[in-house]
Amino acid sequence: MLKRCIDKIRNNKLTSIVLAISIIGIIIVYFKMDINKIVFDKEASYNLLTVNTVFTGFMYTMLGNMVEFSSRPNIVSKDKAGYIDKYFSPIYCGLVFFVFSIFIDVFLLFFGLNWKVSLLIFLSRSCSVVGIIYFVISTIMLRKVINQLRKR
C-alpha cells in the first residue's frame, strides 16, 4: 500500500508539489493573519459559491473529456503504464478543493452555521484559491493531451 502511494506521488510530481505548497501556504497564512477580523458577508459568500460551482462544472467537463480520451487505443497503452495519472490528478485535486469550499459556503449560507465562522470563511476562500490554481494546471494538462491526440 505504501509503495503504491509513493509510486502515485512519483508519477504525479506537479500535483504533489502544488498540494504540499498549498497546504503549507494555507497554514502559514493562517498563523500570520488574524482571521478573527474576517467578517461574514452573505453576498460575498454567495458570489464565491456561484464562482466555485461554475469552476466545478468546468472541472467535471474536463474529467469527462479525459475519460473519453482514455478510451482511445493510443492512450490505453499509456494509461496501463501509469503515464495518464498525472493528467487526472490535478482535476481530482481541484474538484476536492472546490467541493470542500462549496460545502462550507452552503453550510454558512443556508444552514446558519455559527461555529468558528471566521475560520470557515478563511478555509473556504483558501480552498477556492487552490482550486483555481488546480483549474489552471488541469487546463494546461488537458491541452497537452489534446495536442498529443492531434499529432497522431
Side-chain angles (χ1 to χ4, degrees):
M1 177 83 169
L2 182 63
K3 183 184 180 322
R4 184 176 169 200
C5 184
I6 291 171
D7 288 341
K8 288 282 186 187
I9 291 171
R10 257 190 223 130
N11 289 339
N12 303 310
K13 288 178 186 166
L14 178 63
T15 303
S16 301
I17 290 169
V18 171
L19 182 63
I21 290 172
S22 299
I23 291 173
I24 291 169
I26 290 171
I27 292 170
I28 289 171
V29 169
Y30 173 77
F31 286 113
K32 294 276 184 182
M33 182 179 158
D34 184 16
I35 64 164
N36 292 325
K37 291 182 181 178
I38 298 175
V39 179
F40 179 63
D41 181 8
K42 196 169 188 169
E43 185 176 334
S45 290
Y46 186 75
N47 290 339
L48 185 61
L49 176 64
T50 304
V51 168
N52 286 338
T53 54
V54 169
F55 275 115
T56 303
F58 284 135
M59 295 288 279
Y60 272 112
T61 303
M62 284 184 204
L63 184 60
N65 289 336
M66 288 298 298
V67 168
E68 192 277 322
F69 294 153
S70 295
S71 67
R72 296 182 181 213
N74 54 345
I75 301 294
V76 170
S77 61
K78 290 181 180 181
D79 192 17
K80 287 180 182 176
Y83 292 111
I84 300 300
D85 284 345
K86 69 180 179 181
Y87 297 101
F88 278 100
S89 294
I91 297 172
Y92 294 142
C93 286
L95 283 171
V96 167
F97 280 103
F98 279 130
V99 168
F100 188 67
S101 180
I102 288 169
F103 278 132
I104 291 172
D105 285 330
V106 165
F107 282 122
L108 287 173
L109 287 169
F110 301 113
F111 296 111
L113 187 65
N114 291 325
W115 179 80
K116 302 236 181 193
V117 174
S118 57
L119 173 65
L120 292 174
I121 292 169
F122 170 75
L123 286 175
S124 175
R125 290 176 183 171
S126 299
C127 287
S128 293
V129 169
V130 175
I132 290 170
I133 292 168
Y134 275 114
F135 176 78
V136 170
I137 293 170
S138 299
T139 305
I140 292 168
M141 297 301 253
L142 182 64
R143 174 118 172 112
K144 286 182 179 181
V145 171
I146 291 170
N147 285 340
Q148 286 179 3
L149 291 172
R150 292 182 82 192
K151 288 180 183 177
R152 295 178 186 227

